[in-house]
Amino acid sequence: MRLMTTGMKTLRVVIADDDGLTLMVLRKILTVMGHKVVGEAGDGEQAVAAVKEHEPDLCIFDIRMPKMEGLEAARRVQAFRPTPVIIFSAHTESGLGSEAASAGAHAYLVKPFTAGQLKPAVELALTNFERSRALEEKLQQANEALESRKLVERAKGILMRQTDMDEETAYLRLQKTARNENRKLIDVARAIILAEQLQRDVPAKAGSTRGLPHHRR
């Protein structure tokens, strides 16, 4: 049996199924595809432990396993080390594919499967994983940009209160300070906010001592 894998790098794979025959067939197919099985497991707990130990490029889990099912194993893997995961099952009831996706799987395969069916499933899992990572990065960048805008707006408001500047002038002052000091605008904004907080704290602390009794000698 020969399967062309042009363009796909060799992957380190952890496989898990409570059926030894399925593990043997899966290992053989992956080896022919040019990949390396670095860990095998007969239940979900062993699968998670194998991922922690070997840090693979791909996981292939059966959906039904003792001690911990494949979906829960996939969830735990994604929680501590996001990794492409394929879930396979002998069951074909509707909704399993969506359930697998919600658990963090990136492809779903019905067994028995052939080498010709596994190869596109691997490619799909890798593609979906990269897409999900890219989306997470975009969301993180969007959240950071939103937080930055909030801090800049807050610093701008402080300048407007302290100097009677209008909004545009205050923003231009922030930009000019950032350029002159070769700093990011967000760092300048944080410094202004921190300075304003310190100014508020000093009078509060000083005022808190006024009511204390004086000890006479």
Side-chain angles (χ1 to χ4, degrees):
M1 179 173 59
R2 182 173 179 80
L3 186 65
M4 297 301 294
T5 57
T6 304
M8 185 183 295
K9 70 172 185 177
T10 298
L11 302 174
R12 301 171 66 259
V13 189
V14 166
I15 59 178
D17 194 320
D18 57 335
D19 179 24
L21 179 61
T22 299
L23 284 179
M24 182 182 70
V25 171
L26 185 55
R27 185 192 325 114
K28 184 176 181 180
I29 293 175
L30 289 167
T31 301
V32 171
M33 289 173 63
H35 304 309
K36 182 179 181 180
V37 176
V38 295
E40 299 184 20
D43 61 58
E45 290 183 354
Q46 291 177 359
V48 173
V51 173
K52 290 180 178 179
E53 178 180 356
H54 298 290
E55 299 185 346
D57 304 309
L58 175 69
C59 302
I60 306 179
F61 297 161
D62 185 24
I63 197 169
R64 306 287 185 226
M65 290 189 290
K67 295 184 179 179
M68 181 190 300
E69 294 196 344
L71 296 183
E72 179 59 26
R75 288 190 189 94
R76 298 199 182 190
V77 167
Q78 301 306 344
F80 69 81
R81 187 181 185 275
T83 306
V85 175
I86 297 174
I87 292 291
F88 63 89
S89 173
H91 306 279
T92 58
E93 57 259 38
S94 62
L96 283 181
S98 299
E99 188 178 355
S102 65
H106 302 92
Y108 181 79
L109 194 60
V110 176
K111 62 180 181 180
F113 49 81
T114 65
Q117 293 170 323
L118 181 60
K119 181 177 182 291
V122 171
E123 293 172 344
L124 178 62
L126 297 178
T127 299
N128 285 342
F129 177 75
E130 290 301 324
R131 286 176 178 171
S132 66
R133 297 290 285 177
L135 179 59
E136 288 174 3
E137 289 179 4
K138 286 182 179 180
L139 290 174
Q140 182 177 355
Q141 290 171 359
N143 289 334
E144 289 175 353
L146 178 60
E147 185 62 25
S148 295
R149 284 197 295 271
K150 289 180 179 178
L151 290 176
V152 169
E153 287 295 317
R154 184 175 170 186
K156 187 170 62 178
I158 291 171
L159 287 179
M160 292 168 65
R161 289 195 305 271
Q162 291 180 345
T163 63
D164 291 329
M165 293 180 184
D166 59 31
E167 184 175 357
E168 182 178 0
T169 304
Y171 185 68
L172 290 174
R173 174 67 65 83
L174 288 171
Q175 288 183 316
K176 183 178 180 181
T177 302
R179 285 195 305 269
N180 291 344
E181 298 181 4
N182 194 26
R183 300 165 68 190
K184 293 181 180 179
L185 186 63
I186 183 64
D187 293 333
V188 174
R190 287 195 182 103
I192 291 174
I193 293 169
L194 178 59
E196 197 255 354
Q197 289 175 339
L198 291 175
Q199 288 175 356
R200 286 204 313 262
D201 290 345
V202 170
K205 290 180 179 179
S208 65
T209 63
R210 294 174 184 173
L212 294 178
H214 295 284
H215 295 283
R216 295 179 179 177
R217 293 186 178 180

